[in-house]
Amino acid sequence: MPELPEVETIARGLAARVTGDVIESVWVGGKPEPLKSPAREIVRTLTGARITGVRRVGKHIVFDLRRRPSVVGRRPSRRNAEEHAQWIVHLGMTGNLVVCAPGAELAKHTHAIARLGSGREIRFVDPRRFGRLAVHRDFRAPGSEPLDLGVEIFSKLFRRRKTPIKSALLNQKLLSGVGNIYADEALFRAAIRPRRRAASLTRNHLQRLYEALQQVLNEAIAAGGSSVSDYVDAAGAEGLFQFEHRVYQRTGEPCLVCRTPIKRVVLAGRSAHYCPKCQA
Ligand SMILES: [Zn+2]
């Protein structure tokens, strides 16, 4: 599942390719699962809209749109004002957004196509159909943005939480966009065991965890994300951060610091990978 760095990479790639372009028409497929807003509402909002930017909010990709309002039912003074709208894409497990030429072969599991004024198309492809398409006006992620918050606010999120710190890091209502890979990697760098209760962490631990998480997310963004399973960015390129993983999916392999075999435990149905010697 793409996490914050992968979604950031995809959003940046899309921003560079389609900002300024106009969506001329939209096709939405017949499968109901990917549609969080009704198909006709997606088509109505996107058709004729200009893409003013593409950015990441949590694990969501947000296309900012400007469109001329429909004249019907509007007061004359509002007639020429452009309205703001947003196209929100959550990639789920296997979703991707590809920018391609109209003649490009249609991939199986294509659920939506936005045809652009430049002649290109943005296609939403998702074999497992956990991805979601929606339209909004003022979209906000439920949790805090990990790269925007300071250490004080970060620390407050975990106060009095009895859950393991790993589960707290994955809780999207607390932090937006951190998933299994980057939670494991940040905990390793901070020398904290995934199972440790969040509330038991000292100020010093939280400072270390905060710095480790910032570091690991920023390094992963710089590397274009991690390509595990089938992640590729908007141009079809793979990320490189999987080669920097120190514990994630390295069960049984030697710790890069102390040579102790990396362990795997299951916490709330998710695997956690850690070094039993380096992490306490
Ligand atoms: Zn170790």
Side-chain angles (χ1 to χ4, degrees), residues 188 254-260 262 274-279:
F188 175 76
C255 169
L256 301 175
V257 174
C258 74
R259 316 299 296 164
T260 304
I262 298 301
Y274 70 99
C275 171
K277 196 169 170 197
C278 293
Q279 293 170 259

Side-chain angles (χ1 to χ4, degrees), residues 166 180 184 248 264-267 269-273:
K166 167 76 186 279
N180 227 14
D184 278 0
Y248 181 74
R264 173 181 173 273
V265 288
V266 177
L267 290 176
R270 310 286 304 273
S271 350
H273 310 81

Side-chain angles (χ1 to χ4, degrees), residues 68-86:
R68 291 199 177 279
S70 48
V71 179
V72 186
R74 295 253 173 211
R75 277 173 280 133
S77 59
R78 298 268 299 140
R79 194 174 294 170
N80 292 321
E82 286 191 320
E83 50 182 36
H84 177 69
Q86 294 168 324

Side-chain angles (χ1 to χ4, degrees), residues 19-23 46 48-53 64-67 82:
T19 300
D21 222 325
V22 172
I23 300 172
L46 267 55
R50 186 161 41 86
I51 301 168
T52 57
D64 287 302
L65 307 173
R66 288 264 159 201
R67 37 170 302 114
E82 286 191 320

Side-chain angles (χ1 to χ4, degrees), residues 91-131:
L91 299 170
M93 304 277 285
T94 54
N96 202 9
L97 285 163
V98 241
V99 181
C100 57
E105 196 183 331
L106 197 66
K108 216 176 159 185
H109 311 294
T110 299
H111 303 295
I113 301 174
R115 296 181 193 88
L116 304 177
S118 62
R120 296 168 305 164
E121 297 180 349
I122 304 172
R123 296 180 184 176
F124 178 66
V125 182
D126 185 7
R128 294 192 59 187
R129 300 206 293 265
F130 287 106

Side-chain angles (χ1 to χ4, degrees), residues 35-192:
L35 307 180
K36 218 178 160 187
S37 303
R40 59 186 152 71
E41 203 185 321
I42 295 175
V43 171
R44 189 189 60 80
T45 306
L46 267 55
T47 305
R50 186 161 41 86
I51 301 168
T52 57
V54 188
R55 62 203 160 91
R56 176 190 62 78
V57 175
K59 283 191 217 177
H60 298 79
I61 294 169
V62 176
F63 290 79
D64 287 302
L65 307 173
R66 288 264 159 201
R67 37 170 302 114
R68 291 199 177 279
S70 48
V71 179
V72 186
R74 295 253 173 211
R75 277 173 280 133
S77 59
R78 298 268 299 140
R79 194 174 294 170
N80 292 321
E82 286 191 320
E83 50 182 36
H84 177 69
Q86 294 168 324
W87 179 24
I88 315 295
V89 181
H90 190 282
L91 299 170
M93 304 277 285
T94 54
N96 202 9
L97 285 163
V98 241
V99 181
C100 57
E105 196 183 331
L106 197 66
K108 216 176 159 185
H109 311 294
T110 299
H111 303 295
I113 301 174
R115 296 181 193 88
L116 304 177
S118 62
R120 296 168 305 164
E121 297 180 349
I122 304 172
R123 296 180 184 176
F124 178 66
V125 182
D126 185 7
R128 294 192 59 187
R129 300 206 293 265
F130 287 106
R132 295 290 177 264
L133 305 176
V135 288
H136 255 271
R137 274 179 188 280
D138 186 19
F139 179 77
R140 282 163 214 270
S144 302
E145 167 59 44
L147 292 175
D148 287 351
L149 84 188
V151 66
E152 291 302 322
I153 296 171
F154 176 82
S155 302
K156 267 189 194 160
L157 295 176
F158 305 108
R159 206 176 281 168
R160 289 192 286 277
R161 298 242 157 220
K162 296 191 177 97
T163 54
I165 182 61
K166 167 76 186 279
S167 310
L169 285 170
L170 296 183
N171 183 344
Q172 299 297 304
K173 287 179 191 149
L174 301 179
L175 283 176
S176 225
V178 179
N180 227 14
I181 300 176
Y182 301 101
D184 278 0
E185 294 297 318
L187 287 167
F188 175 76
R189 292 188 188 202
I192 298 168

Side-chain angles (χ1 to χ4, degrees), residues 2-8 56 58-59 145-147 176-177 217 221:
E3 300 181 26
L4 187 153
E6 292 77 42
V7 179
E8 177 73 31
R56 176 190 62 78
K59 283 191 217 177
E145 167 59 44
L147 292 175
S176 225
L217 291 174
I221 291 169

